[in-house]
Amino acid sequence: MTAPPATHARPASPDLLRSVFRRHAAGVAVITARGASGPVGFTATSLASVSADPPMLSFGIGTASSSWPVIATGDHVGVHVLAEDQQDLAVTFARPGADRFGPGTAWWDGPEGVPLLHGVLAWTVCRVVARVPAGDHRIVIAEVLLGDPGDPARPGRPLLYHHGRYHGLRD
């Protein structure tokens, strides 16, 4: 038996979790929805596939988010996978107080009234089926109703988030 390697172990805290997940590369998505006062949206790195049959996905949202009141009560969301050249779009949807659907954002009203973003790698329109409490967040589970997986002749590359910065995928 050998001695364990030296570690920098710390007790659990929000800072520890953030530090650990800075080391985890994640795909970048934008989640959108339609509220009574207009469209809302936010950048998410917590997008995950949940089920193939029926097709379902999940994402996390903080309950302090300006988008949460609409996500908390709305029936449908748009989920957009961003391309590596869409860092500005990711920043816009991540910045508190930003005019996310202003002149710099190309979008249209999609099915179920969901705002859909132009030029993304792929998108889906989903029906929210559950909102699971998870600390200061909620995990939203949504069933995919329809979507556009993008043009297979132009596959594109996803935008990634790692160590507090946006990155493209390298070969």
Side-chain angles (χ1 to χ4, degrees):
M1 181 177 272
T2 62
T7 69
H8 301 282
R10 303 185 314 223
S13 70
D15 183 55
L16 173 66
L17 187 67
R18 284 186 207 100
S19 295
V20 168
F21 272 85
R22 279 188 193 106
R23 304 227 179 229
H24 173 71
V28 181
V30 168
I31 312 299
T32 60
R34 167 75 58 190
S37 299
V40 299
F42 63 97
T43 299
T45 56
S46 58
L47 183 63
S49 173
V50 172
S51 168
D53 190 15
M56 298 174 89
L57 55 81
S58 70
F59 58 87
I61 179 173
T63 56
S65 165
S66 62
S67 297
W68 171 241
V70 172
I71 302 295
T73 59
D75 293 329
H76 296 90
V77 295
V79 177
H80 309 80
V81 177
L82 299 191
E84 67 183 351
D85 63 351
Q86 293 181 307
Q87 180 176 344
D88 290 344
L89 190 60
V91 169
T92 296
F93 277 84
R95 187 179 326 121
D99 185 4
R100 296 173 179 154
F101 292 91
T105 303
W107 63 282
W108 81 98
D109 284 318
E112 305 296 340
V114 172
L116 294 175
L117 305 174
H118 286 284
V120 296
L121 278 183
W123 59 264
T124 62
V125 171
C126 305
R127 181 178 58 84
V128 174
V129 297
R131 296 167 185 90
V132 181
D136 63 354
H137 278 63
R138 296 297 181 267
I139 306 302
V140 177
I141 300 172
E143 182 177 4
V144 176
L145 301 178
L146 69 136
D148 183 346
D151 183 351
R154 293 185 56 229
R157 291 174 172 259
L159 182 62
L160 301 177
Y161 191 72
H162 177 256
H163 220 283
R165 295 184 15 218
Y166 294 103
H167 300 272
L169 188 62
R170 287 191 243 161
D171 291 328

